[in-house]
């Protein structure tokens, strides 16, 4: 998901202030007063204070210092073998995740669903419920940085290898020796790395929006159009500024999501990201990407050896369409590619179609 931040009205306010209140006089060069510096100093001081105070006030007001989401998560029960469906806390990989499960007592194969930025596991609720109704044991979890008790402070702790470790640790914690894997956006990136590094754990792989991670990163570095579309990544790597802009523009963010996401998904996203340090943790996924070394990582160039379904939107602003045909040679197993009339948020845009295709993919390789 890409956010487009717009300027606030702060500078308009400053402009009005200067015009109406920063009054000073300039007289003839040989007159008594060249400039009334008293008013200039007062005006400049006021401008400086407004520049600092107004954004700070808006930022402080926008952050949920009471951590209401954390309190709600803390009230959830811990996952146990007797769980059936619902939301739980789950300890895995020395962290604690909020998980959503359904059909855990079924006899079918396990399914793990990975969300993207800035979403949460809630995006998968329709697929989670439908897959469970067909006999699968299904789990979606708020990943590292999104779960309140899974937010390490160091950027290095968000390297993709640690995100993959989380997937496997969560699978182990619920008893999934093997599982069908589905990921969207950043969840797709983590999924690609999981299936490349641990193919023996994955029954089938479904990627939404983001193509083969090796192809994607190579294109980000070398493909002109993809480089242009991915310019936001380096902007999000900038320290502090993205967080400040997000909190100062929350209303614009919400307006941008209306009609694309369900209201419950928007509310859940804001509840998570409004907490102190939460957005920083989510953005650390981007900040942990090292553009200097990622192009030489041979892992990303590996061939996928598990049945793969790739679904992408023809109007996706994140992916350059002409890199998609380069993906097929990187799949060494059954491969199906589906282009749909949608943008980036595929589960929100076409849930029934996505669910149908994903379950068909599962059932074909049960």
């Amino acid at each position: 998901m890409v956010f487009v931040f717009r300027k606030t009205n702060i500078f308009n306010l400053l402009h009005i202030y200067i015009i109406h209140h920063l009054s000073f006089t300039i007289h003839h060069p040989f007159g008594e007063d060249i400039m009334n510096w008293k008013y200039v100093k007062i005006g400049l001081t006021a401008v400086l204070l407004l520049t600092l105070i107004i954004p700070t006030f808006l930022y402080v007001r926008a952050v949920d210092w009471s951590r209401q989401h954390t309190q709600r998560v803390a009230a959830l029960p811990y996952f146990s073998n007797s769980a059936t469906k619902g939301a739980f806390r789950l300890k895995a990989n020395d962290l604690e995740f909020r998980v959503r499960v359904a059909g855990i007592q079924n006899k079918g194969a396990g399914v793990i669903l990975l969300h993207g930025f800035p979403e949460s596991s809630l995006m998968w609720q329709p697929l989670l419920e439908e897959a469970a109704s067909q006999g699968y044991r299904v789990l979606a979890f708020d990943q590292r940085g999104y779960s309140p008790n899974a937010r390490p402070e160091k950027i290095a702790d968000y390297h993709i290898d640690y995100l993959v470790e989380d997937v496997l640790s969560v699978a182990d914690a619920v008893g999934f020796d093997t599982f069908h894997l589905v990921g969207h956006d950043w969840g797709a990136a983590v999924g690609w790395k999981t299936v490349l590094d641990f193919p023996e754990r994955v029954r089938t792989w479904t990627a939404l929006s983001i193509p083969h991670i090796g192809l994607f990163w190579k294109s980000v570095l070398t493909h002109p159009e993809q480089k242009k579309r991915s310019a936001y990544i380096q902007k999000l790597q900038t320290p502090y500024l993205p967080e400040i802009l997000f909190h100062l523009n929350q209303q614009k963010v919400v307006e941008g999501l209306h009609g694309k996401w369900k209201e419950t998904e928007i509310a859940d996203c804001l509840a998570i990201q409004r907490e102190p340090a939460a957005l920083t943790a989510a953005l650390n996924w981007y900040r942990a990407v090292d553009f200097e070394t990622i192009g030489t990582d041979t892992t990303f160039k590996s061939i996928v050896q598990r049945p793969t379904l790739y679904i992408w939107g023809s109007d996706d602003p994140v992916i350059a369409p002409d890199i998609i045909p380069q993906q097929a040679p990187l799949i060494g197993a059954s491969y199906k590619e589906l282009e749909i009339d949608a943008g980036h948020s595929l589960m929100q845009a076409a849930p029934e179609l996505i669910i149908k295709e994903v379950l068909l993919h599962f059932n074909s390789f049960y």
Side-chain angles (χ1 to χ4, degrees):
M1 169 61 68
V2 183
F3 285 136
V4 178
F5 297 109
R6 298 181 180 177
K7 295 180 180 178
T8 65
N9 290 324
I10 294 172
F11 296 105
N12 290 335
L13 292 173
L14 294 179
H15 176 72
I16 294 171
Y17 181 87
I18 292 170
I19 294 299
H20 292 282
H21 299 282
L22 185 55
S23 60
F24 56 85
T25 57
I26 301 177
H27 295 282
H28 190 276
F30 299 103
E32 181 179 352
D33 296 320
I34 295 179
M35 184 177 288
N36 192 331
W37 288 107
K38 175 182 177 180
Y39 294 113
V40 172
K41 291 177 182 179
I42 293 174
L44 291 176
T45 301
V47 169
L48 178 60
L49 289 174
L50 285 171
T51 303
L52 295 174
I53 292 173
I54 293 178
T56 301
F57 170 76
L58 294 175
Y59 178 86
V60 170
R61 190 179 65 173
V63 175
D64 177 17
W65 300 101
S66 64
R67 293 177 167 84
Q68 295 181 34
H69 175 71
T70 294
Q71 294 179 40
R72 287 192 292 269
V73 172
L76 295 174
Y78 279 107
F79 177 86
S80 68
N81 292 333
S82 61
T84 55
K85 65 178 181 178
F88 299 88
R89 288 179 289 161
L90 178 73
K91 292 185 177 181
N93 205 17
D94 296 323
L95 300 171
E96 184 180 286
F97 299 95
R98 179 178 69 160
V99 303
R100 302 174 191 276
V101 301
I104 290 297
Q105 303 304 323
N106 289 340
K107 302 300 182 181
V111 176
I112 295 181
L113 310 172
L114 306 176
H115 66 81
F117 173 84
E119 298 154 313
S120 72
S121 56
L122 184 60
M123 68 167 288
W124 295 116
Q125 193 65 34
L127 175 56
L128 184 135
E129 293 175 357
E130 185 60 29
S133 73
Q134 295 194 21
Y136 292 99
R137 297 173 292 149
V138 196
L139 177 146
F141 69 104
D142 292 355
Q143 297 179 79
R144 182 178 295 229
Y146 296 80
S147 288
N149 291 320
R151 290 175 184 155
E153 293 183 4
K154 297 180 180 179
I155 292 176
D157 289 331
Y158 294 84
H159 187 276
I160 195 168
D161 287 339
Y162 293 122
L163 305 177
V164 171
E165 284 182 8
D166 291 343
V167 175
L168 300 181
S169 294
V170 165
D172 292 340
V174 296
F176 291 177
D177 294 329
T178 61
F179 47 88
H180 298 281
L181 185 60
V182 183
H184 171 253
D185 188 75
W186 253 114
V190 175
W192 283 109
K193 194 68 163 58
T194 303
V195 74
L196 286 170
D197 290 353
F198 301 94
E200 71 281 1
R201 298 294 302 270
V202 180
R203 288 172 173 260
T204 68
W205 163 230
T206 301
L208 305 185
S209 300
I210 302 299
H212 186 290
I213 188 63
L215 169 63
F216 179 71
W217 286 127
K218 175 185 176 182
S219 301
V220 168
L221 295 171
T222 62
H223 188 281
E225 179 61 24
Q226 188 58 59
K227 185 182 297 186
K228 177 181 177 182
R229 293 186 182 218
S230 299
Y232 71 92
I233 295 177
Q234 290 181 303
K235 292 179 181 178
L236 292 178
Q237 290 182 323
T238 305
Y240 308 118
L241 184 59
E243 288 94 323
I244 293 172
L245 291 175
F246 173 84
H247 288 300
L248 293 180
N249 290 272
Q250 282 187 23
Q251 187 57 41
K252 294 293 184 183
V253 172
V254 171
E255 291 174 1
L257 294 176
H258 279 312
K260 298 178 182 178
W261 290 16
K262 294 179 180 178
E263 294 302 314
T264 52
E265 293 173 333
I266 296 174
D268 195 52
C269 171
L270 290 179
I272 294 172
Q273 304 302 348
R274 288 184 64 237
E275 292 196 342
L279 183 57
T280 296
L283 290 171
N284 280 344
W285 288 44
Y286 292 96
R287 291 165 180 159
V289 175
D290 185 353
F291 282 98
E292 293 184 2
T293 61
I294 201 166
T296 60
D297 189 335
T298 56
T299 304
F300 292 120
K301 302 176 183 178
S302 302
I303 305 297
V304 174
Q305 300 294 350
R306 304 306 298 153
T308 299
L309 169 64
Y310 175 63
I311 307 176
W312 64 291
S314 56
D315 295 324
D316 191 336
V318 177
I319 303 300
D322 59 346
I323 74 170
I324 303 302
Q326 302 176 46
Q327 180 167 249
L330 297 171
I331 313 297
S334 173
Y335 173 56
K336 180 179 179 180
E337 177 187 310
L338 179 63
E339 176 185 357
I340 68 174
D341 182 16
H344 188 70
S345 301
L346 301 182
M347 267 300 294
Q348 290 85 352
E352 293 181 358
L353 176 59
I354 298 300
I355 291 171
K356 173 186 174 182
E357 292 293 335
V358 169
L359 291 178
L360 179 62
H361 186 52
F362 290 174
N363 295 335
S364 298
F365 300 96
Y366 190 85

